[in-house]
Amino acid sequence: MTQKIFIKTYGCQMNEYDSSRMADVMAPHGFVRADTPEEADLVILNTCHIREKASDKVYSELGRLRSLKTARAGEGRQMIVAVAGCVAQAEGEEMLRQAPVIDIVVGPQVYHRLPEMVARARARNRIVDTEFPAVDKFDALPESRQVEGPCAFLTIQEGCDKFCTFCVVPYTRGAEYSRPVRQIEAEARNLVLRGVREITLLGQNVNAYHGDDGNGGECGLGPLVDVLSRIEGLERIRYTTSHPRDMDDALIEAHRVNDKLMPFLHLPVQSGSDRILDAMNRGHTRQMYVDLVARIRAARPDIALSSDFIVGYPGETDEDFAQTMDLIRTVGFAQSFSFKYSPRPGTPASAERKQVPEETKARRLEILQAELTAQMRRFMESCVGRRFDILLEKPGRYPGQMIGRSPYLQSVNVVAPHARIGDFVTVDIVAALPNSLKGELAGRSGSRQVGRN
Ligand code: 5AD
Ligand code: SF4
């Protein structure tokens, strides 16, 4: 009998990848994707624990699901509710106590056991499984089946050993683990056979990747990109998220020589103050970051950078914050994400006595975001007049219009009546809108793109 599964994903792209793996693992058991929780027999909330609001949202969603589940039961139908992801991992049993609507709490390392858990939940058992098993979850999960569009994520590394003092990831995702090269290559080939042209390699510390190379050695991210770039039909490679400490020479070299590696790099710095960077246990100074950016730009002059920032880390003074603003002006970012520090239970920074008042955090965030937004606008405007290859991802709002991605991940609108999704088209950028670019067709470029502009 066909049943329906609805998955709501919060947080990072690794959760998005995991959500499609969960759909894949349930598919052989007769589950097809539903568009709304109302029509679903199994609802999974794939949660994120990284900042306060992320986990609050889960509890309010659970509130909504409770009435839905009760209404369903009134009709004599069962609805199973599962909570997956990092909140599940961090809170485990506690979630069952807090929210009686939950049937299953499943941590990120055991998604392959989901079918069995759903069967047990059917018999009205409530289940918590947040183990970190010895088997590799990627070995146990089926090959990706459901591919939507020409761009896909591929998790190559998971977990983190860095223990930045503000961050829950080392606790929720566990120790750093890299998948073997052969397994990644096979998955990438499979994606390409299904029409994928652009792959984003994912990992919490993706550039710390050091997978088994199949010959008794280890392979870093630079050489892995080279291996993948030899796959015919795969035209673009990206990776995220990186740590400045793991940007090695081989990876920088890959940016210099490999045209399939896109000139856009998310390289979070968090703060521009040495004092705060040290307190955060980031393991690098402000100057080391600036020097690193200079080396990357020397290798790939047209590279655009993006970063994450935290304001109001415990003990952050006006002077520390001024240092962060100064770093932003020194480096220049094409895009950025910025957050108010939020204490995460169990992390060292949450126990610090010198917490920064909310108003101060809010004020600093506003100042920081104003600068970052202005930098983004300048970058978008600097694209006007340039010629880009765009990978077409979806139809636009009007007939004949398509939306694609630039090498810098920007959305580009273009009128291209004869093109299809998955095609590369060459466009001249004619206007910069707040969150996208407008392009005009310069001619079809076939399937190979011009790497540098
Ligand atoms: N408070 C605020 N921001 C955080 N991040 C991680 N942990 C916290 C926290 N406790 C941010 C960092 C990280 C991004 C994914 O989320 O900037 O790079
Ligand atoms: Fe968290 Fe730091 Fe690891 Fe990134 S490097 S996942 S911020 S502990």
Side-chain angles (χ1 to χ4, degrees):
M1 187 183 80
T2 305
Q3 300 182 80
K4 292 203 163 172
I5 175 172
F6 175 78
I7 309 182
K8 181 156 181 162
T9 310
Y10 301 81
C12 68
Q13 292 143 336
M14 296 192 61
N15 265 6
E16 279 181 43
Y17 176 87
D18 282 348
S19 288
S20 18
R21 292 286 76 71
M22 284 191 267
D24 291 337
V25 93
M26 293 312 295
H29 301 269
F31 280 86
V32 297
R33 289 293 272 266
D35 296 325
T36 63
E38 280 76 14
E39 43 177 323
D41 305 283
L42 170 62
V43 175
I44 302 178
L45 303 182
N46 193 6
T47 63
C48 171
H49 198 46
I50 199 114
R51 288 174 296 276
E52 227 135 34
K53 281 199 184 124
S55 35
D56 288 352
K57 282 189 203 152
V58 175
Y59 279 101
S60 51
E61 186 65 32
L62 284 168
R64 278 194 289 276
L65 288 177
R66 192 172 56 179
S67 21
L68 197 57
K69 187 169 172 163
T70 315
R72 276 301 193 76
E75 297 162 11
R77 286 171 62 198
Q78 199 178 10
M79 184 175 106
I80 308 280
V81 175
V83 179
C86 292
V87 179
Q89 186 66 45
E91 300 194 5
E93 297 271 349
E94 182 57 26
M95 292 209 84
L96 288 192
R97 271 192 292 277
Q98 295 266 337
V101 65
I102 301 174
D103 299 292
I104 299 170
V105 176
V106 50
Q109 301 309 317
V110 287
Y111 292 150
H112 52 284
R113 296 183 191 158
L114 206 51
E116 175 206 327
M117 292 181 211
V118 171
R120 279 166 53 204
R122 282 263 151 72
R124 317 241 174 237
N125 292 315
R126 300 179 83 202
I127 300 141
V128 176
D129 190 345
T130 51
E131 208 195 329
F132 285 101
V135 302
D136 167 3
K137 85 169 187 190
F138 299 102
D139 258 345
L141 286 168
E143 286 223 322
S144 44
R145 289 198 182 80
Q146 304 178 13
V147 166
E148 281 169 34
C151 303
F153 295 127
L154 201 175
T155 297
I156 64 166
Q157 180 277 335
E158 200 170 357
C160 178
D161 297 337
K162 297 273 189 316
F163 290 93
C164 299
T165 52
F166 52 81
C167 185
V168 284
V169 166
Y171 311 96
T172 58
R173 292 275 174 165
E176 205 183 80
Y177 168 78
S178 296
R179 297 175 68 184
V181 173
R182 286 219 182 106
Q183 209 186 65
I184 295 166
E185 199 186 346
E187 188 165 335
R189 284 189 191 281
N190 178 33
L191 289 169
V192 171
L193 282 176
R194 287 161 195 264
V196 167
R197 295 287 166 266
E198 170 175 317
I199 291 182
T200 302
L201 306 173
L202 297 178
Q204 262 99 23
N205 255 264
V206 74
N207 59 343
Y209 175 81
H210 56 99
D212 180 344
D213 69 358
N215 299 313
E218 278 192 349
C219 173
L221 184 57
L224 178 71
V225 166
D226 286 338
V227 168
L228 298 179
S229 68
R230 281 181 227 126
I231 298 176
E232 207 175 317
L234 177 60
E235 304 296 348
R236 286 179 165 184
I237 301 172
R238 306 178 186 276
Y239 60 92
T240 197
T241 284
S242 299
H243 195 292
R245 257 156 71 192
D246 295 316
M247 234 24 240
D248 66 12
D249 290 344
L251 184 54
I252 296 177
E253 189 56 22
H255 278 286
R256 184 196 310 277
V257 299
N258 198 323
D259 279 346
K260 289 190 179 178
L261 189 55
M262 288 295 98
F264 182 81
L265 175 61
H266 185 59
L267 194 62
V269 63
Q270 316 295 357
S271 168
S273 151
D274 281 342
R275 223 175 55 79
I276 296 294
L277 286 169
D278 186 46
M280 286 175 165
N281 191 31
R282 291 289 291 175
H284 65 83
T285 60
R286 165 206 177 84
Q287 194 57 44
M288 281 157 81
Y289 186 83
V290 171
D291 292 346
L292 174 61
V293 166
R295 283 199 293 135
I296 297 166
R297 283 185 169 146
R300 182 83 204 222
D302 64 340
I303 204 159
L305 292 173
S306 140
S307 182
D308 292 342
F309 295 93
I310 294 177
V311 297
Y313 181 84
E316 186 189 70
T317 62
D318 282 341
E319 175 50 30
D320 294 318
F321 176 64
Q323 291 284 317
T324 300
M325 292 301 294
D326 186 67
L327 179 74
I328 292 171
R329 291 189 199 102
T330 305
V331 174
F333 294 94
Q335 202 198 317
S336 276
F337 302 91
S338 44
F339 315 99
K340 288 192 269 188
Y341 169 71
S342 91
R344 305 284 68 212
T347 57
S350 67
E352 287 283 336
R353 272 183 297 118
K354 281 199 248 153
Q355 297 290 334
V356 173
E358 264 318 295
E359 314 82 75
T360 312
K361 287 187 200 171
R363 184 166 40 83
R364 287 181 188 160
L365 189 66
E366 203 176 308
I367 297 169
L368 182 118
Q369 288 187 337
E371 176 62 29
L372 290 169
T373 308
Q375 290 197 351
M376 186 179 96
R377 276 226 62 78
R378 281 203 291 280
F379 178 70
M380 296 290 270
E381 273 153 20
S382 75
C383 293
V384 176
R386 291 181 71 180
R387 179 169 284 193
F388 288 152
D389 277 348
I390 303 300
L391 173 55
L392 297 176
E393 265 189 289
K394 53 186 177 197
R397 234 188 286 166
Y398 314 105
Q401 193 191 45
M402 300 278 259
I403 300 173
R405 290 271 174 190
S406 77
Y408 300 111
L409 262 186
Q410 300 139 305
S411 279
V412 183
N413 296 301
V414 58
V415 176
H418 304 297
R420 288 166 311 176
I421 288 170
D423 282 353
F424 281 95
V425 291
T426 306
V427 303
D428 292 316
I429 303 300
V430 294
L433 312 167
N435 294 308
S436 62
L437 298 172
K438 189 165 177 277
E440 279 174 5
L441 221 46
R444 283 286 272 281
S445 71
S447 68
R448 184 71 191 101
Q449 65 178 332
V450 188
R452 286 153 205 255
N453 297 284

